Coordinates of all heavy atoms in Angstrom, one line a residue:
P10 N -111.6 -88.9 9.9 CA -111.5 -88.7 11.3 C -112.8 -88.8 12.1 O -112.8 -89.3 13.2 CB -110.9 -87.3 11.4 CG -110.2 -87.1 10.1 CD -111.0 -87.8 9.1
Q29 N -116.1 -91.1 34.6 CA -116.5 -89.9 35.2 C -116.3 -89.9 36.7 O -115.8 -88.9 37.2 CB -118.0 -89.7 34.9 CG -118.6 -88.4 35.4 CD -118.1 -87.2 34.6 OE1 -117.8 -87.4 33.4 NE2 -118.0 -86.1 35.3
S38 N -105.5 -79.4 44.2 CA -105.3 -78.0 43.7 C -104.7 -78.0 42.3 O -105.0 -77.2 41.5 CB -104.4 -77.2 44.7 OG -103.2 -77.9 44.9
D45 N -109.3 -75.5 35.2 CA -109.6 -74.2 34.9 C -109.0 -73.7 33.6 O -109.6 -73.1 32.8 CB -109.2 -73.2 36.0 CG -110.1 -73.4 37.3 OD1 -111.2 -74.0 37.2 OD2 -109.6 -73.0 38.3
G47 N -108.0 -75.6 31.1 CA -108.6 -76.4 30.0 C -110.0 -75.8 29.6 O -110.3 -75.7 28.4
I49 N -110.9 -72.7 30.0 CA -110.7 -71.4 29.4 C -110.3 -71.5 27.9 O -110.9 -70.8 27.0 CB -109.5 -70.6 30.1 CG1 -110.1 -70.1 31.5 CG2 -109.1 -69.3 29.3 CD1 -109.0 -69.6 32.4
V59 N -110.4 -64.9 19.2 CA -108.9 -64.8 19.2 C -108.3 -64.9 17.9 O -107.5 -64.1 17.4 CB -108.3 -65.7 20.2 CG1 -106.8 -65.8 20.1 CG2 -108.6 -65.2 21.6
Y64 N -106.3 -62.7 12.6 CA -106.4 -62.6 11.2 C -106.5 -61.1 10.7 O -105.9 -60.7 9.7 CB -107.7 -63.4 10.7 CG -108.1 -63.1 9.3 CD1 -107.4 -63.5 8.2 CD2 -109.3 -62.3 9.1 CE1 -107.8 -63.2 6.9 CE2 -109.7 -62.0 7.8 CZ -108.9 -62.5 6.7 OH -109.3 -62.1 5.4
S108 N -128.5 -90.7 35.5 CA -127.7 -91.7 34.7 C -127.0 -91.0 33.5 O -127.5 -90.1 32.9 CB -128.6 -92.8 34.2 OG -128.0 -93.6 33.2
A132 N -110.7 -77.8 17.0 CA -110.7 -77.1 15.7 C -109.6 -75.9 15.8 O -108.8 -75.8 14.8 CB -112.0 -76.4 15.5
Y145 N -97.2 -80.7 19.1 CA -97.3 -80.5 20.5 C -98.6 -79.7 20.9 O -99.0 -79.7 22.0 CB -96.1 -79.7 21.1 CG -94.8 -80.5 21.0 CD1 -93.8 -80.2 20.1 CD2 -94.6 -81.6 21.9 CE1 -92.6 -81.0 20.1 CE2 -93.5 -82.3 21.9 CZ -92.5 -82.0 21.0 OH -91.3 -82.8 21.0
Y147 N -101.5 -80.3 20.1 CA -102.6 -81.2 20.4 C -102.8 -81.5 21.8 O -103.9 -82.0 22.2 CB -102.5 -82.5 19.6 CG -102.7 -82.4 18.1 CD1 -101.6 -82.6 17.3 CD2 -103.9 -82.1 17.6 CE1 -101.8 -82.4 15.8 CE2 -104.1 -81.9 16.2 CZ -103.0 -82.1 15.4 OH -103.2 -82.0 14.0
I148 N -101.9 -81.2 22.7 CA -102.0 -81.4 24.1 C -103.1 -80.5 24.7 O -103.7 -80.8 25.7 CB -100.6 -81.1 24.9 CG1 -100.7 -81.6 26.3 CG2 -100.2 -79.7 24.8 CD1 -101.0 -83.0 26.5
T168 N -116.6 -85.7 25.0 CA -115.4 -85.0 24.6 C -114.8 -85.6 23.3 O -114.2 -84.9 22.5 CB -114.4 -84.9 25.7 OG1 -114.0 -86.3 26.0 CG2 -115.0 -84.3 26.9
F178 N -113.4 -80.6 10.8 CA -113.5 -79.3 10.1 C -112.1 -78.6 9.9 O -111.9 -78.0 8.9 CB -114.4 -78.4 10.9 CG -115.9 -78.6 10.6 CD1 -116.7 -79.3 11.5 CD2 -116.4 -78.1 9.4 CE1 -118.0 -79.5 11.2 CE2 -117.8 -78.3 9.2 CZ -118.6 -79.0 10.0
Y183 N -108.0 -76.7 6.4 CA -106.5 -76.7 6.1 C -106.2 -77.2 4.7 O -105.4 -76.6 4.0 CB -105.8 -77.5 7.1 CG -104.4 -77.8 6.8 CD1 -103.4 -76.8 6.9 CD2 -104.0 -79.0 6.3 CE1 -102.1 -77.0 6.6 CE2 -102.7 -79.3 6.0 CZ -101.7 -78.2 6.1 OH -100.4 -78.5 5.8
K184 N -106.9 -78.2 4.3 CA -106.6 -78.8 3.0 C -107.1 -77.9 1.9 O -106.6 -77.8 0.8 CB -107.2 -80.2 2.9 CG -106.4 -81.2 3.7 CD -107.1 -82.6 3.7 CE -106.3 -83.6 4.4 NZ -106.9 -84.9 4.5
E186 N -107.1 -74.7 2.1 CA -106.2 -73.6 2.0 C -104.9 -74.1 1.2 O -104.3 -73.4 0.4 CB -105.8 -73.1 3.4 CG -104.7 -72.0 3.4 CD -105.2 -70.7 2.9 OE1 -106.4 -70.4 2.9 OE2 -104.3 -70.0 2.3
N190 N -104.7 -73.3 -4.7 CA -104.1 -72.8 -5.9 C -103.5 -74.0 -6.8 O -102.6 -73.7 -7.7 CB -102.9 -71.8 -5.6 CG -103.5 -70.6 -5.0 OD1 -104.6 -70.1 -5.4 ND2 -102.8 -70.1 -3.9
G200 N -94.7 -83.3 -31.7 CA -93.4 -83.3 -32.3 C -93.4 -84.1 -33.6 O -94.4 -84.5 -34.1
N202 N -93.5 -86.8 -35.8 CA -94.1 -88.2 -35.8 C -94.6 -88.6 -34.5 O -94.6 -89.8 -34.2 CB -93.0 -89.2 -36.4 CG -92.6 -88.9 -37.8 OD1 -93.5 -88.5 -38.6 ND2 -91.4 -89.1 -38.1
A209 N -100.7 -81.6 -16.7 CA -99.7 -80.8 -16.0 C -100.2 -80.4 -14.7 O -101.4 -80.1 -14.5 CB -99.4 -79.5 -16.9

Side-chain angles (χ1 to χ4, degrees):
Q29 182 69 31
S38 57
D45 289 342
I49 291 172
V59 167
Y64 165 71
S108 169
Y145 290 109
Y147 288 113
I148 190 64
T168 65
F178 277 102
Y183 166 73
K184 288 176 178 176
E186 177 70 29
N190 294 322
N202 299 324

